Structures are given as C-alpha cells and as structure tokens.
C-alpha cells in the first residue's frame, strides 16, 4: 500500500493530536471533539465490540455516517458492529484499505456503478453477505479476503492486479469466478465450505506461488491446470473430500514446489505427480499404509513429518535415501520399531511422540549434527539410547510421559553442547544422569512429576553454566549438601515435592542467585516472606560467603541448626552492621544464640546495660526506665557489659567474649520494662483508666492541664498513649500541646513519632487514620479514632476501617451508634466505607427498622455463608444486592431471595459462577467480577433476555452460549 498508517489509541493521546494519522476508537467520541484534537487523521479503527459502544441507544450506522462526512479516509476498519449499511459517501473517499469484521447485521454492500475506487486491500467477514461486483473494480486492488460473502464474487474477475485472494465460508456448489485474467495472483486460499463441489480452473494462474485448500469435505473434483503452475512453491491441502467420495488429483510435474502439507484428505489412487524440488513434507492423518512413491523422487527433502498415520505399521526403508534430511517428526503412527537407517547424517531435529516403541536403535553416535531430541508419550519405551561425546551438536533434550523408563544413560554427562534438559511425567524414573563439569553449556534443567526420584546427583554442582533449575512434584527428600558452588545458578524453583522437608543453608552461598521460589513447608513460617527476595537482599548488602551461609541456615533450617555452626557468634554480630532492616531482624530474632547465663528475667540490680546503635525509641526513654529499675546504664559498650541491647549497629571491644553477656532486641527490652512498670500511673486499673480518658474526652483545656500534671509525676500508662496523641494534635492550648509532645516523644516508636509530627490538622475535618496505621502498624490507632470521636463526634466511620478496631474495647459501643446511622432509611442500606464483621452485619440486618422494608442492599466485604440467614429475612422485599466476598462458592441459599432484580458480585477467589441465578425469575441484571475466567453453568442457557449481563473475565465456555457476557 502507498501509505502505511500507524494507529494510536485515542485516549492515550496527550495534548493535541495534530500529527496523528490513524486512531483506534473504543467509545463514541463526539465527532466535533475528534475534528478539534485529530483533524488530520486518515485512518480510523472502530472497535464497536468495546463496552461503551454496546448500548442499543448508540446507533452504529449514524455514528459511522457522521465520521465519514467529517473526514477523508484512506483506511477504515470496523470490528463487530451493528451496522446495517455502508454509506455511499464512503466511496468518495480515497480509500486504500477497507476492513469489516463480524458484521452480522450487514447483509449487503452497495457500490454505485460510477464509483471510482482506489482500494488496495479489502477484508470482509460477514454472514450471508451480498456485495456489488463493483467493489472489486479498483485497478490497484492487490489483496482480497472475504468470508461469508455469498453473492457478488464474480466481480473478482475485474481485479487484474490481484496478488492475494482468500475466500471462506462460501455456501454454493461452485465459485462464480474466472481466474483467466488474474495472472499476478501469488497466493490463493479457499476453504471452510460444506457446499463447494468444484473449484475454478487454475490454468491461467501462472504466477501462483502459494495455494491452500482446506475444509472442503463435499469437493468432488480438484481444479485443473496444475501443470501450468510452475512457480508454485507451497501447497497445503486439509480435509479435502471424504472417505466415501475421494477425489482424483493428478499432475505431471511441479518443478518449483518445495513445501507440501496434506492433512486428513481423501484422494483416489496414486495422487499428485513428480515434485523434484520438495524440501518439506507434512503427512497428517491420512488413510495410507505406505508412503506414496512420488515422495521418494526428491533428493532434497529436509523436513519430514508423519503424524496420525495409524495404518503405517512398518518403517519405510526408502526414507534412508533422504541424505539431506535435517528434521524428522513422527507422531501417532502404527510403527513399532525404528531401524538403524534412521541415522541420517545431517539430521538436526528428531521428535518421537505417541509411538509403541520399547527401545530405540543404537545408531545415535552417527547423529553428529543432531541438535534437538524430543521423546514424548511413548508409554512402552524402557531404554534410551546412549547419547554421548560423539553428539557434539546436541543442545536440547525433552522427555515427557515415559512411564517405563527407570534410568537415564550415564553417557549424557559427556554431552558438551547440551543447553536444555526437560524431564516430565516419567513415573518410574529413579535416577538422573551425573551431569557435571563436562556439560560445558548446560543452562537449564526442568524436572516435573518424577515421584520415584529421591535424590539429585552431587555432580550437578560442577555444571559450569547451569543458570535455572526447576524441580516440581518429585519424591525428592533433600537437596544435596555437596552443592557448594552453583556458580552461575540464577533461579531455583521447588514446588510440590511432598517429601522434601528442609533446604540446606548453602543455597544462600550461591553467588549468582537472583530468584528463589521454594515451597513454604521447607521454610520456618517466620521467614517465608524472605525467600523470594533473598538473592537480591544478599547481593545488595554485599555479604561474605560465610555470612550468606549463616543467613541461609537461619532461613531454611531455623535457629536449632546454629548450635553447630562455626564461629556463629562473631558472624551473627557482624550482620547487624549490614545496614539492612531484614537482615537486622534476622539477627534480633536469633540473639539467644549469643547469650550466656544472665537471664532476661533476672531481678538482680546493679547489672550493667548498654544500647548499641540507634533504636526505634529515643535512648533517653530507655535510660530513665532502666535507671528506675536499678540498672547501671553505660553510654559506651565495654568488654564486661552484662546486658547489650542491639540496635542498628554494634562494634565489639577487645576481649569481649571472655565475659558473660546477655543480648536483647529492643522488643525484648520493651517486654521486660513493661513487666517492671516504674511509676504509679503506669499501673492503673481499668476503671481508673476510664476516668482518666473521660477527662481528656471532655475536650476541656482545664481537664487537659490536670491530666498533664498527673502524668508528669506518675508516668504514662501505655494504653493511654493513643488518647494523649490525639490531645497533643487537637488541643486548643499551645502550652499543653508543647508539654504533651515533650512528654510523649521518648515513649513513642518511630512510627508513632511520625504520627505526632504529621502536619495534618485533624481539627479541619481531615482523617488520615488509615495512613497512620500503615506508618505505625503496631500502634493502637483505633484508640486514637475513639478519642477523636469522643472529643468531636467525627470520624466514626473511619474507626471501623482500622484493623486494630477489631480488638478495641469500645467497638461495641461505637457499633450501636453506627448501626442506628446506617438504618435511618429502612428501604436502602449502603455499607460502602463501613468495615464490619459478619456478626455485626447480621445484627444490622436483623434490626427492626429494616424488617419488611429493605429493598436495596450494598454490603461491605463479607462472608455470605455467615450472613445468609439474615439476608433471607428480607426475601419478600429485597430487589437489589451488591457484595464483595473472599469465598470460593456463593451459597445456593441465596436462591431464596426470590424478588431479586439485580445482583452484583465481586469475588477474587470465586471458583464457580452461581448456577441458581437463572432460577430467580425477576432477575434482570447480573454483574460478576472474578480474578480468573470461570465456567458458565449449563443453567445459564435458560436465562431469559437480560437487561444487563456482565461477567468479567469472559467465561471460559462463553462460545457455548448466545449471550456475550459483557
């Protein structure tokens, strides 16, 4: 074509689209807007199958006409439309490409006799469509692809410059086309017709290079003129004629034919003719017991595929004549033995599948050019050939479903060029080859479903370039402890190995590891989140080999494996200084390995204690608390310091390990200090704490001042900190605010300090509580929300969004307020923004104001099984329901909501579409969103015409239904 247009999505355009030449339109954009933004477009692709074009109120014919009147197009593409006619104004455009796909309502395309066309490419996919013969009158028309066009094809005769012609789904016995004038035709495809009996003569198609006839079961006669097709290089025949009426197909010689494919076709005896230039032949599912003689007239054959030839029981010895053969594909034939003559000297690719072979010929040493071997579904095969150092080109081996195979040849360890090895579904395979240092190129090994394989060879550690290892569903009991190097292994995957209980820590030493996917049961629960990012983590922090192995031992084998780990104390302490929070957490979790005989619960006084590095809370906070508990606080760590609190770094003084020590994480120190409880205010009983809260809930500066003075002398109860944080952020008195902040700061974690310093003014009606909970997940943000609500009456809804609200002691009280607010309208309950438990939802649905009135219900995320009985209380009135659920199956009890007219379901874990929905006789709208495509139940075929049926993703079996589901 003279103009190659590049299409862009209209809604992805930024600013003006002055230079855009062609657009995709997925919604009915006003033409006036298009004229302003993309005035110079020459091509439009109308995606009428998109959602926003589907409503019946959008008239596809009118929109198309408006576009054609506004622009002068060179290309027009239309997908799955409801257009019923093509406007005549289109033929005044300088149109070079017209593409109409799946226009079931377009029954005719009329072109005026005086129209002057410049079409170069025409594509029509319709149903029983009639076209004007003039449609093909363009003198520059080079490509025609028509499907479902039943009348008007005689106009193809006029396309004298045509190079490609494809005709499909024609429903008459013969085509009304005369190929006499189509001298330039290079590609011809005709097929998918249950009516065609004869095809036009090919005599004048002297330029034809590719010919494809397919799905023509009623054909009674092949076209004549084959001997004139001396430029024909590729011929494909599929499902031609039938067993009862085979067709005669003969020609003398086709000198240029190099590629012949014949699939499930029926010809009379001795079809075809001489084809001396053949290089590729595919025979598939043909009713033949011997290969045709004409096949052996070519000495240039490089590719031979024999598939589905069940009557072929003996291997044709004539095949050994093909001394140029490079690819041999044999699948599902009746051949039971293969001869040594299979050793074609130039053979590169060998594929054997679904053959009744017990063994293979011992001629593989002669296959020096062999690069790829695939042996699949040969269920009787017991022994594999001894591939070895003679096979210097072999780089790929695939073995699949060989249930009688028990071992692999040891000679495979000499395959110096092997790159990829895949072994699947070999149920009796017990041992793999000792691949190793001689496999210089082995890059990837995949093992799947080998239940009798209990161990992997130690020698794999020596494979110099092994980069990916996938082990799945085997009988493996452990990884080899000898795998110390794995110098290039970048990815390891281990899944569903039921007997595998642990992974050696040496995995972490492999220097090139980038990704690790290992089944959870092999990893202590506390560290499962580490595994996938472990390689990146280790490389980012620059850990030494000894440190990496220690980390791997902790993650994969657990703390108990550290007792025998060499030099574990120095190594573990050294990891603190790696400046990585995940690695430091590993150290904090395992500090007990370093401890001597000074227990954390010891009530002795005058113990020395030092804090190493930074901590989440200010050191001054700990210093005061430790002194109050009788400890001697040391600013600098010394060799004889008895308790060491490990922060984010540590440097050990000389002779440190000569003395006994007790190491604590900050969390352990907090636990200890909580038990000590220095200060009278920190030990308040619940009624006293409640009275203290009421003072600050009053929002009275006088009461706030009173509480502040009490705290200064008696300490701060931990449960009271969230309330004080709200006072510090919302009090009207600057002095109280400043003093409270000073008092609170030493007691707060880093996350809580961020909340305190957050500049958002809560008094202005802003509510960042969810953000607070993300910043400080261990802080009681829900109690902050309680205090804020008590002081201002605001943000009740936000309390229920917080995870910490589930355990808050005031939840029941606040729930009663929320429930009353939600049920103000008896006919409509809208839970959006409210996060309630299933028990709370049940309580609301059973409330008296809703009984006999509730018609519309929008639920939060909930478990429908848990609330179904409450829902059924409203079965006589409820017309609309919407909910989000984590359930896999929607309870069938919802069928009892007999008055439902609309249902909306969001379920990421849904495993099936509810089959009871069609039985709800008033149902008009179904909207269902799932994560994965599901199977629509058979009951959906009983659906009456729906106002809206939206199921996303589209059901797997959507094609079985008349509905489009979206």
């Amino acid at each position: 074509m003279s103009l190659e247009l590049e299409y862009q999505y209209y809604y992805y355009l930024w600013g003006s689209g002055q230079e855009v030449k062609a657009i995709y339109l997925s919604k009915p954009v006003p033409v006036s807007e298009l004229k302003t933004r993309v005035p110079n477009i020459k091509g439009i692709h109308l995606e009428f199958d998109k959602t926003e074009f589907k409503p019946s109120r959008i008239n596809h014919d009118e929109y198309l006409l408006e576009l054609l009147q506004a622009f002068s197009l060179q290309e027009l593409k239309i997908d799955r439309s409801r257009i019923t006619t093509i406007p005549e104004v289109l033929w005044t455009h300088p149109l070079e490409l017209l593409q109409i796909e799946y226009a079931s309502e377009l029954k005719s395309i009329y072109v005026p006799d005086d129209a002057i066309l410049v079409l170069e490419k025409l594509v029509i996919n319709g149903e029983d469509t009639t076209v004007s013969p003039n449609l093909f009158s363009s003198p520059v028309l080079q490509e025609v692809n028509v499907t479902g066009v039943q009348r008007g094809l005689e106009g193809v005769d006029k396309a004298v410059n045509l190079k490609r012609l494809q005709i499909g789904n024609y429903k008459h016995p013969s085509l009304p086309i005369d190929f006499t004038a189509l001298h330039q035709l290079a590609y011809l495809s005709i097929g998918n017709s249950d009516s065609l009996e004869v095809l036009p003569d090919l005599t004048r198609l002297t330029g034809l290079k590719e010919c494809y006839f397919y799905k023509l079961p009623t054909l009674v006669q092949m076209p004549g003129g084959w001997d004139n097709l001396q430029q024909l290089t590729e011929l494909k025949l599929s499902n031609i004629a039938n067993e009862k009426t085979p067709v005669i197909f003969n020609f003398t010689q086709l000198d240029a034919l190099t590629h012949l494919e014949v699939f499930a076709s029926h010809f009379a005896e001795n079809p075809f003719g001489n084809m001396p230039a053949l290089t590729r032949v595919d025979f598939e599912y043909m009713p033949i017991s011997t290969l045709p003689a004409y096949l052996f007239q070519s000495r240039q054959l490089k590719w031979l595929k024999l598939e589905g030839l069940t009557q072929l029981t003996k291997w044709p010895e004539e095949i050994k004549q093909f001394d140029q053969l490079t690819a041999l594909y044999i699948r599902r034939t009746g051949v039971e033995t293969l001869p040594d003559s299979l050793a074609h000297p130039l053979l590169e690719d060998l594929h054997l599948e679904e053959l009744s072979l017990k063994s293979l010929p011992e001629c593989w040493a002669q296959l020096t050019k062999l690069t790829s071997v695939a042996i699949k579904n040969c269920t009787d095969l017991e022994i594999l050939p001894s591939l070895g150092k003679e096979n210097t080109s072999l780089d790929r081996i695939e073995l699949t479903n060989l249930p009688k195979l028990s071992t692999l040849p040891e000679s495979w360890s000499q395959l110096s060029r092997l790159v990829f090895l895949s072994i699947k579904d070999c149920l009796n395979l017990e041992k793999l080859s000792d691949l190793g240092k001689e496999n210089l190129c082995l890059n990837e090994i995949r093992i799947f479903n080998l239940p009798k394989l209990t161990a992997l060879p130690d020698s794999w550690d020596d494979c110099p370039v092994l980069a990916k290892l996938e082990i799945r569903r085997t009988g493996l009991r452990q990884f080899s402890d000898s795998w110390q190097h794995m110098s290039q292994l970048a990815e390891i995957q281990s899944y569903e190995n039921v007997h595998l209980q642990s992974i050696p820590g040496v995995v972490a030493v492999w220097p090139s590891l980038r990704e690790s996917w290992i089944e959870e049961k092999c990893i202590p629960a506390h560290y499962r989140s580490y595994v996938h990012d472990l390689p990146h983590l280790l490389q980012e922090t620059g850990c030494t080999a000894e440190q990496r192995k220690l980390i791997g031992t902790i993650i994969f084998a657990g703390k108990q494996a550290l007792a025998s780990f060499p030099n574990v104390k120095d190594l573990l302490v050294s990891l603190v200084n790696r400046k990585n929070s995940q690695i430091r957490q590993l150290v904090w979790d395992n500090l007990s390995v370093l401890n001597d005989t000074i227990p954390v619960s010891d009530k002795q006084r005058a113990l020395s204690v030092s804090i190493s590095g930074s901590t989440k809370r200010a050191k001054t906070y700990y210093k005061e608390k430790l002194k109050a508990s009788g400890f001697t606080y040391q600013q600098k760590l010394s060799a004889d310091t008895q308790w060491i609190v490990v922060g984010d770094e540590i440097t050990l003084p000389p002779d440190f390990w000569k003395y006994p020590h007790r190491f604590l994480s900050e969390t352990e120190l907090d636990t200890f200090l909580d038990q000590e409880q220095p200060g009278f205010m920190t030990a308040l009983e619940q009624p006293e704490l409640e009275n203290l809260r009421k003072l600050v809930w009053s929002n009275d500066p006088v009461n706030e001042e009173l509480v502040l003075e009490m705290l200064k002398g008696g300490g701060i109860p931990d449960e009271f900190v969230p309330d004080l944080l709200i006072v510090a952020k919302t009090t009207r008195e600057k002095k109280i605010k400043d003093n409270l902040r000073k008092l609170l700061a030493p007691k707060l974690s880093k996350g809580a300090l961020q909340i305190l310093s957050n500049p958002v003014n809560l008094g202005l009606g802003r509510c960042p509580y969810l953000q607070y909970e993300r910043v400080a997940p261990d802080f009681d943000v829900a109690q902050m929300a309680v205090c804020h609500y008590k002081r201002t009456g605001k943000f009740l809804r936000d309390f229920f969004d917080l995870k910490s609200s589930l355990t808050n002691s005031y939840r029941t009280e606040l729930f009663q307020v929320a429930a009353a607010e939600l049920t103000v309208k008896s006919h409509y309950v809208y839970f959006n923004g409210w996060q309630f438990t299933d028990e709370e939802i049940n309580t609301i649905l059973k409330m008296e104001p809703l009984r006999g009135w509730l018609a519309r219900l929008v639920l939060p995320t909930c478990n429908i099984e848990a609330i179904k009985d409450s829902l059924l209380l409203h079965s006589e009135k409820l017309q609309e329901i919407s909910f989000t659920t984590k359930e896999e199956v929607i309870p069938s009890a919802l069928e009892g909501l007999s008055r439902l007219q609309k249902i909306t379901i969001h379920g990421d874990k849904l495993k099936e579409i509810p089959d009871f929905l069609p039985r709800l006789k008033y149902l008009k709208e179904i909207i269902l969103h799932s994560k994965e495509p599901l199977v629509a139940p058979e009951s959906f075929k009983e659906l009456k015409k729906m106002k809206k049926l939206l199921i996303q993703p589209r059901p797997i079996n959507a094609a079985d239904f008349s509905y489009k589901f979206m």
Side-chain angles (χ1 to χ4, degrees), residues 156-170:
V156 173
D157 299 352
K158 302 176 183 179
V160 295
N161 291 307
L162 197 63
K163 294 182 179 178
R164 292 180 64 89
L165 175 60
Q166 296 171 255
I167 300 173
N169 197 19
Y170 188 70

Side-chain angles (χ1 to χ4, degrees), residues 6-14 20 22-26 37-38 45 47 50:
E6 179 181 349
Y7 284 77
Q8 299 183 42
Y9 285 95
Y10 178 74
Y11 278 98
Y12 291 164
L13 296 179
W14 290 95
V20 175
I23 59 171
Y24 291 98
L25 275 181
S26 57
R37 290 198 65 200
V38 285
H45 190 149
E47 298 182 302
K50 300 299 183 183

Side-chain angles (χ1 to χ4, degrees), residues 69-181:
Q69 290 172 337
F71 297 99
S72 178
L73 300 179
Q74 288 177 267
E75 295 187 7
L76 176 62
K77 302 178 182 181
I78 303 172
D79 286 349
R80 296 186 183 275
S81 68
R82 294 193 302 272
I83 59 172
T84 59
T85 184
I86 298 294
E88 289 190 25
V89 67
L90 175 64
W91 312 118
T92 65
H93 289 230
L95 199 65
E96 297 178 0
L97 184 152
L98 175 61
Q99 178 177 306
I100 303 173
E101 297 280 3
Y102 304 105
S104 59
E105 297 182 29
L106 180 65
K107 297 305 179 184
S108 65
I109 300 177
Y110 172 71
V111 181
D113 291 341
D114 59 352
I116 301 176
L117 304 186
V118 290
L119 274 174
E120 296 181 22
K121 181 176 179 179
L122 174 65
V123 178
I124 299 174
N125 192 333
E127 293 181 12
D128 295 326
T129 308
T130 299
V131 301
S132 294
N134 292 339
L135 183 60
F136 307 99
S137 63
S138 168
V140 291
L141 186 60
Q142 297 183 20
E143 184 171 347
V144 170
N145 184 341
V146 289
T147 300
V149 174
Q150 306 304 325
R151 288 164 292 279
L153 289 181
E154 61 271 18
V156 173
D157 299 352
K158 302 176 183 179
V160 295
N161 291 307
L162 197 63
K163 294 182 179 178
R164 292 180 64 89
L165 175 60
Q166 296 171 255
I167 300 173
N169 197 19
Y170 188 70
K171 299 180 180 179
H172 301 282
S174 62
L175 284 167
I177 302 175
D178 185 352
F179 289 155
T180 301

